[in-house]
Amino acid sequence: MKINWFPGHMKKALREISSQLKNVDVVLYVLDSRAPLSSINPSLNRLIQGKSILYVFNKYDLSDKARVKEIALNFKKENSDFVYINSTSSGSSKSIKAKILNLSKTKLEKAKQKGLKAVVRVIVIGIPNSGKSTLVNNLCGKAKATVGNKPGVTKMVKWLNIGDNIEVCDTPGTLYPNLENQLVAKKLLFIGSIKDEIIVDKVELAQEFITLMQAKYNNNLTSRYGEDLTLEAIAKKRGYILSKEEYDLERTAQAVLDDFRKGKLGEITLD
């Protein structure tokens, strides 16, 4: 099962992001805390070299917080910082604005010395379905960006004023042309950053998810499904039965993936 997803609008988005970066002071790099390392896009990394970066560990409420904190320490450098948030919660924008202004303090101080008030320009980037547009709406204090609980909702670059002399550019979620690391690709599928529709064998995908989870979060699985973690056993427990001797494994596989995505399996970080 080879996983790859790079539709035409992502290629276009990378070009637009590249053209906007010359006018940007701070990059808001949104990572999904359930798989933060897999959320890193090499194509974006090449584009943002030399920029001040605020790494936003979003969906923190669904994550293994101890693991996320361990990972986040590697993102704290001279011209970068990080913050943990749940972008759907009101008030999460305050800490982000403060860090944006801190990363822009050199520009702001120079402008102040000249008696001017500088505008700080910020671009929001990240993989699909990481919560970028929800974060932008939170920063704005109202819905200005289109959101949806699936990848590929935002299709174009959009600049918005969020107050405090800060302008934010919302961008489409982007992956990269060749997902060579298939374990990373699977994690992106698990968290919903790649469309389920591109996968033919969802049963195989769910089985691989269970295998991956057993290594670190077996208790999370058994507390919800019991000791027998085969899809047949889960289907039987859920009552997903097609006939006397046949289980609805497709429905069971989707249910397992949905349970993870909705946080019903507890706080998990797949790295």
Side-chain angles (χ1 to χ4, degrees), residues 241-247:
I241 301 171
L242 295 173
S243 65
K244 188 175 181 181
E245 297 180 353
E246 186 180 4
Y247 298 111

Side-chain angles (χ1 to χ4, degrees), residues 19 97 193 215 236:
S19 68
K97 282 187 178 182
S193 290
K236 183 178 180 180

Side-chain angles (χ1 to χ4, degrees), residues 23-25 100-101 104 107-108 111 116-122 159-161 163-168:
N23 301 316
V24 165
D25 302 299
I100 289 172
L101 294 173
S104 309
K107 175 180 181 177
L108 294 171
L116 303 173
K117 193 167 185 179
V119 173
V120 177
R121 294 172 68 83
V122 179
W159 279 98
L160 300 164
N161 191 318
D164 297 324
N165 272 42
I166 302 173
E167 293 180 356
V168 168

Side-chain angles (χ1 to χ4, degrees), residues 1 190 196 199-211 229-232 234-235 242 247-257:
M1 178 173 58
F190 297 153
D196 287 344
I199 297 301
V200 176
D201 195 341
K202 201 167 290 184
V203 171
E204 180 184 347
L205 183 68
Q207 288 171 333
E208 292 194 30
F209 170 74
I210 289 172
T211 300
L229 294 173
T230 61
L231 288 179
E232 289 82 359
I234 296 171
L242 295 173
Y247 298 111
D248 191 341
L249 298 185
E250 285 281 338
R251 184 181 177 189
T252 307
Q254 187 64 60
V256 169
L257 295 174

Side-chain angles (χ1 to χ4, degrees), residues 29-44:
Y29 204 143
V30 183
L31 309 176
D32 190 316
S33 294
R34 298 169 300 171
L37 297 179
S38 298
S39 298
I40 297 294
N41 182 336
S43 296
L44 291 176

Side-chain angles (χ1 to χ4, degrees), residues 40-224:
I40 297 294
N41 182 336
S43 296
L44 291 176
N45 281 4
R46 286 190 288 271
L47 293 176
I48 63 176
Q49 284 183 5
K51 290 290 183 180
S52 295
I53 306 168
L54 178 60
Y55 292 95
V56 180
F57 288 81
N58 195 23
K59 305 185 183 182
Y60 184 61
D61 56 313
L62 300 174
S63 72
D64 179 341
K65 295 171 180 58
R67 179 58 182 143
V68 173
K69 287 179 179 178
E70 182 183 351
I71 292 170
L73 292 175
N74 297 316
F75 291 83
K76 177 80 171 179
K77 297 177 182 177
E78 184 178 350
N79 67 332
S80 67
D81 202 351
F82 63 85
V83 62
Y84 316 115
I85 69 158
N86 172 18
S87 63
T88 61
S89 298
S90 60
S92 60
S93 61
K94 291 181 180 178
S95 59
I96 292 176
K97 282 187 178 182
K99 287 181 179 287
I100 289 172
L101 294 173
N102 186 56
L103 286 167
S104 309
K105 61 184 178 183
T106 300
K107 175 180 181 177
L108 294 171
E109 287 171 359
K110 285 182 179 178
K112 187 177 180 180
Q113 289 172 1
K114 297 177 181 178
L116 303 173
K117 193 167 185 179
V119 173
V120 177
R121 294 172 68 83
V122 179
I123 193 166
V124 182
I125 63 170
I127 59 173
N129 202 35
S130 57
K132 298 181 306 303
S133 295
T134 302
L135 171 60
V136 169
N137 285 337
N138 202 324
L139 289 167
C140 292
K142 55 185 173 181
K144 289 189 176 182
T146 305
V147 300
N149 190 26
K150 60 181 180 179
V153 173
T154 304
K155 291 288 199 308
M156 58 183 291
V157 167
K158 186 176 183 180
W159 279 98
L160 300 164
N161 191 318
I162 64 170
D164 297 324
N165 272 42
I166 302 173
E167 293 180 356
V168 168
C169 180
D170 188 22
T171 67
T174 53
L175 295 175
Y176 35 106
N178 187 10
L179 286 163
E180 293 180 358
N181 188 327
Q182 285 294 286
L183 179 56
V184 167
K186 287 170 188 173
K187 290 176 182 178
L188 293 174
L189 257 168
F190 297 153
I191 64 175
S193 290
I194 294 177
K195 285 185 175 180
D196 287 344
E197 289 82 355
I198 75 163
I199 297 301
V200 176
D201 195 341
K202 201 167 290 184
V203 171
E204 180 184 347
L205 183 68
Q207 288 171 333
E208 292 194 30
F209 170 74
I210 289 172
T211 300
L212 180 66
M213 285 280 291
Q214 283 178 299
K216 290 173 63 178
Y217 298 103
N218 191 63
N219 289 341
N220 297 59
L221 292 175
T222 57
S223 64
R224 184 159 182 85

